[in-house]
Amino acid sequence: MNMLAVILNSTIRSTTPILLAALGSAICSQVGVFNIALEGQILIGCFVSIVANYFTGNVYLAVLCGMLGGAAVASIVAILQVKYKAADMVIGTSVNLLTSGLTSVLLSTIFGVRGSFSSPELISLPKIKLPVISEIPVVSRLFEQLTFIDYLSYIIAILMFVYLYKTVSGFHTQSVGKNIEAADSLGIKTLRTQIIAVLVSGALCGLGGSVLSMGQVTLFTEDMSAGRGYMAMASASMGQAHPLFVIASSLFFGICQSAGVLLQNYVPSQLTQAIPYAATVIALSIFGWRAIRKKNA
Amino acid sequence: MDKIKTYLKRFGAIMAQPVIATILGLLVGAVFIIASDENPIEIYQTMFSRSFLSPYYLSQTLTRATPIIICGIATAAAWRAGYINIGVEGQMITGSFAATLAAIYIPLPGPLLLIVSILLGMLAGSIYASIVSVLNMKFGSSIVICTLMLNYVANYIASYLVSYPFMDPYGDGISLVTQTIPESVQFVKLSTTNNLSIGIIIAAIVVIAFYFMERKTVFGYESKMTGFNPNFAKYGGVFERKVMLKTLALSGAIAALAGICEIYGSKYRYTDNMFTSASFAWTGLMAALISNLHPIGIFFTSIFLSGLQVGGQAIQRTSSIPIQMATVIQSSITLFVSAKLGVQFFSKWRKQKKQEPAKPQESKGGAETV
Amino acid sequence: MFLELKNITKTFGKTVANDNISFGLNKGEILALIGENGAGKSTISKILYGLNKPDSGEIFLDGKKLKIHSVLDAIDHGIGMVQQHFMLFESYTVAENIVYGKEPKKNGFFDRKRAAEIVRELGDEYGLHIDPDLKVEDCSVGMRQRIEILKVLYQNADIIIFDEPTAVLVPQEIEELLKTIKDLAKRGKSIIIITHKLQEVMDVADRTVVLRQGKFVGERLISETDIKELSYLMVGRGIPPREVEKKEPGKLVLDVEDLRYKHEGVSILNGLSINVHEGEIVGIAGVSGNGQTELIQCLTGLLKPDSGKVELCGEDISGKSVREIRDLGCAHIPEDRYEFGCARKADLEETSIMGYEHLPEFSSKGLLNEKHNQEFALNLLDKYSVKYDHMGEPAGALSGGNIQKLIVAREIEHNSKFLIAAEPTRGVDIGAQEFIHDRLMDKRNRGDGVLLISSELSEVMSLSDRIYVIYDGQIRGEFTRAEADTNKVGFLMMGGQNGQD
């Protein structure tokens, strides 16, 4: 029982960054933008949070900066890919490489270190102790060590669902992805909608990045996003870009990640580390890939 | 005479974009160099003198460029047909690991072993790439995501293999390595004074062969049309699935060759993470994007990018600038090229000067289908 | 005058779409704006609706000068438009589409229930009934048009522009629509209808304005004119009726029996049978979406039929690949030139050799025969007088008519026994249209079989020796040239059964 609670707890914790990024991917595909730069948006979030954390000593400010960093990287996508219509794959992969290089360069310029940075001065995200639940023996295990972002990510998913499917503005936002020409002809500022969606995805990925670098561990290592951006894309497509379904599909990726960690006691770590990636390929094949992006002929 | 003129004009038009983008990319790099309290002119001077301007460094640059060029071609082979393969790294690892094992463990005489092991390696790389085409055909799984995920899978599995079953216990003591490949399969050096092997000639041959394949063969035509508009190709009787299978298999085989050249030509053994840390595949990808998938362009761009990295290593030793500065400059160049920002700005400025109507912009080729 | 346009000029690059055009519209009037394809009718209506900005000229409403910068401005001024290409969201419901932009709200949320009520009430008021909860993807073309009209009415438009509203409808639906338009005018709406079908103009309009090549050429009250005069104004000359060379059909080229095809559980072709002989053009009339696309794709090997016999020149081709079918002698002018007919980025030579590239003259041992291929392409471009800059030009740079000519050239020059011509003249100008029709006729006169599939009934009627009517994936009737008449064919196109007229 206790073991199960520990597994679930670790699943929840590893789900959060993927869920947040997957919601970012979902909002982009809802407005018809194929955003591949999620990976870079997460990575910059990790990095900027640590930098802000180190210099301000305020963990909330750090989270905010992480989100802004994610949005800043997303703005490259917004400008080049959405506004100037450059090819999505090219922009996405270059942005991912750019952030990978940039974070390494800045790591050395700012902290004078290479590879990774951690410091006792860094403050990790406070773990929330739920009032009643933390008294119950097994269940408390389940909710142990969770940060506010872990809870927030589910609230964001629900809010995103309400916005997209229940409000007029969300109705218009969705319509941009369904038929951009028609939306345009009916006076929707389609370009602005797409740009905002991309920026939101940047902020969400940035948030996911901050929980990655300040949640379970408090440090930054090069390329610590480790393909989560692409997993998030897989998750969003499996959840058909519907925020509530995306929760489910992201939990699956969380399970794979925590399974990888757990099995390390029995199998060489090199092999367990491959599990989430192999699982992504298998899951994508089982669920079939529905075009996350409508082809623009 | 006129023909030469129009040719030069067209050449100029093709070159304008990458050249402007390169200048802008170097400017972006300069900003970060200044931010690190260094003098960009000095840094760039060191970078270029320690990559191109002496025979020793030039040979290093060319050695490093060898796998990059071939990775660039592997990328172009897939992207031009519309199959976004970002798994060159994984195919490179699988292929070269297989070739290395074959070279170490198969008892065959030298020249035969060389050929057999290379072919086995290329076969492994192309099978690894074909996993994705089969998944895509059967289940419609995204090529982009699957190829990327398989990079990690390949690297971790190779990492396991080099840590346990195939580890050389008498390795170099720093990293996990396999045994060295027999001398009989090691590539011949081009000169006795430096490290440059015939790998660079193989790379050049790959470039020329690809150029020929692209322009002169039915397969080249059919895969190009598939990349432009798969429906058009299907309508014309092109068997799309065959094109995809062949294209990704080819791409994987070329990727494997890139890794093989690196191992047979310069490192002589598989070292854990050797390809991921050097980022050959991604540099090759950027070279392909900067050159708009043109093979000759890939050849020279790869050498330039490789020079940035070799120069980057030099400045990493002498200043506070890390080697990843090269990545920043490279990806900035790619972004500037793809957005055609420089050219757009330039042509706008010219238009204002001349007040003549401009032709509508053609959209970029090759990279729009997933 | 209620609405007045003064000296509107609009150019696209080198072409002048509207050259100093002025006309007015009275309250409650139905004004027909007529002209050939490319006369500038659509441009001027798009200017009114805020989709295009004029280079110069002014628009007055009730004597006040209007500034229309966007569609929203136009809607604000009470100008609405039912566009030729419907601007609908397929996966949204009818109600969601209609209230779009002016949604009813409850507690800040989108009140979808109220939206459905509004649509029901609006439909009752104007006699345009439709189920508000239906998804648009499940609606027929006629229904979609009704949705567009309701949308315009919901936006409270006083001036309604109809852009080629009858192009996609069958005769009976057209009648219905014209009634609706008259009814709207009676209720005080002012209407501009854009069309090139003169009979409709005579039936519905009060007044007409004629455009030719971007210029205003005349204005007539309908009570004071007739079709002959209008057609003369429109084209600048009389159109000679097509002369058809008499030809006895020969051997069977295409024989299809009981063809069935299902997609995701929905039957699309339900036991369809047709045949085509040598030396005849067989037309398939029908509202688009009744299985034409799937029929073409089953014949050409792009789709595999579930069952049924498909024989080409006596050989069974069901289950054969596109290449095998092409090699057996089936050429194909595709429905959508940009989806199937070409690739925008491919150059003209590459466009020209598609489907031939594996043949011995075009390549040997996997190597392309460049010299031959270039000559071949040049010959096609020349013979079909395609206007182009140079061979290296991408197909996307050619105008629609020119690229269509190149595709037609490529397919006809296959010299195959059988040709499928699907929407061969969609969206091309009148000159290219006639040219392509002539080439199809030549093909027939050479003794080959042609299957013509077109949603433009007049095209099918004027070219075909024999006409099939397709409805719901079945053939509902067959006519010879002599028997065919618009009403009978139209009745079957609507899903009417023979014998229950």
Side-chain angles (χ1 to χ4, degrees), chain A residues 34 80 86 89-91 94 98 101-102 104-105 108-109 114 222 226-227 230 268 270 273 277 281 285 288-289 293, chain B residues 32 36 84 135 139-142 148-149 152 156 159-160 163 316 320 322 324-325 327-328 331 334 338-339 368 370:
Chain A
F34 192 61
L80 299 187
M89 281 310 306
V90 180
I91 298 299
S94 328
L98 178 67
L102 198 59
S104 300
V105 168
S108 128
T109 13
R114 278 166 196 169
E222 282 178 353
Y230 294 91
Q270 289 90 341
Q273 279 172 307
Y277 305 101
V281 174
S285 307
W289 164 267
R293 170 185 86 149
Chain B
F32 287 103
S36 320
I84 307 297
L135 288 178
F139 310 107
S141 324
S142 155
L148 185 98
M149 289 294 140
Y152 289 95
Y156 282 126
S159 180
Y160 163 77
S163 311
Q316 170 159 293
S320 64
Q324 282 87 354
M325 181 58 81
T327 314
V328 172
S331 42
T334 321
S338 61
E368 280 173 12
V370 178

Side-chain angles (χ1 to χ4, degrees), chain C residues 336-498:
Chain C
D336 186 321
R337 57 178 159 270
Y338 293 114
E339 198 190 341
F340 286 102
C342 69
R344 287 177 201 265
K345 289 171 204 147
D347 69 30
L348 299 182
E349 184 183 326
E350 289 165 342
T351 310
S352 304
I353 64 167
M354 179 50 81
Y356 293 91
E357 75 275 7
H358 61 293
L359 299 175
E361 311 90 76
F362 292 83
S363 64
S364 57
K365 296 193 183 108
L367 298 183
L368 292 167
N369 185 350
E370 271 178 281
K371 202 169 158 226
H372 170 273
N373 297 353
Q374 194 160 8
E375 274 167 22
F376 174 80
L378 271 175
N379 182 36
L380 286 189
L381 292 165
D382 214 37
K383 210 162 150 188
Y384 284 72
S385 41
V386 178
K387 277 185 210 130
Y388 67 102
D389 258 5
H390 57 95
M391 274 303 252
E393 198 174 9
L398 260 55
S399 76
N402 277 309
I403 189 66
Q404 184 72 9
K405 275 193 202 169
L406 178 57
I407 294 167
V408 169
R410 183 182 69 208
E411 297 307 316
I412 288 184
E413 294 305 308
H414 260 295
N415 290 323
S416 58
K417 275 322 273 180
F418 177 56
L419 170 73
I420 296 174
E423 309 287 354
T425 60
R426 181 184 275 173
V428 306
D429 62 55
I430 191 93
Q433 219 167 64
E434 268 179 51
F435 184 86
I436 292 170
H437 285 168
D438 288 345
R439 297 289 81 72
L440 291 177
M441 265 305 174
D442 292 348
K443 175 111 183 133
R444 160 196 183 264
N445 295 341
R446 281 201 297 269
D448 300 327
V450 178
L451 184 66
L452 171 69
I453 295 149
S454 169
S455 52
E456 194 72 49
L457 186 53
S458 58
E459 182 169 52
V460 175
M461 300 278 279
S462 81
L463 290 175
S464 312
D465 298 295
R466 210 146 48 83
I467 296 172
Y468 289 108
V469 182
I470 190 172
Y471 179 82
D472 194 24
Q474 276 178 328
I475 296 303
R476 286 297 179 89
E478 187 184 341
F479 301 88
T480 61
R481 177 188 288 281
E483 293 163 355
D485 104 349
T486 317
N487 271 330
K488 278 195 242 165
V489 174
F491 176 73
L492 295 177
M493 279 165 72
M494 285 282 289
Q497 302 276 6
N498 250 337

Side-chain angles (χ1 to χ4, degrees), chain B residues 111-144:
Chain B
L112 195 60
L113 182 60
L114 178 70
I115 293 167
V116 167
S117 64
I118 289 181
L119 287 180
L120 279 175
M122 289 173 76
L123 183 68
S126 87
I127 289 174
Y128 200 62
S130 301
I131 295 177
V132 178
S133 32
V134 170
L135 288 178
N136 178 276
M137 263 173 0
K138 291 248 184 249
F139 310 107
S141 324
S142 155
I143 293 179
V144 181

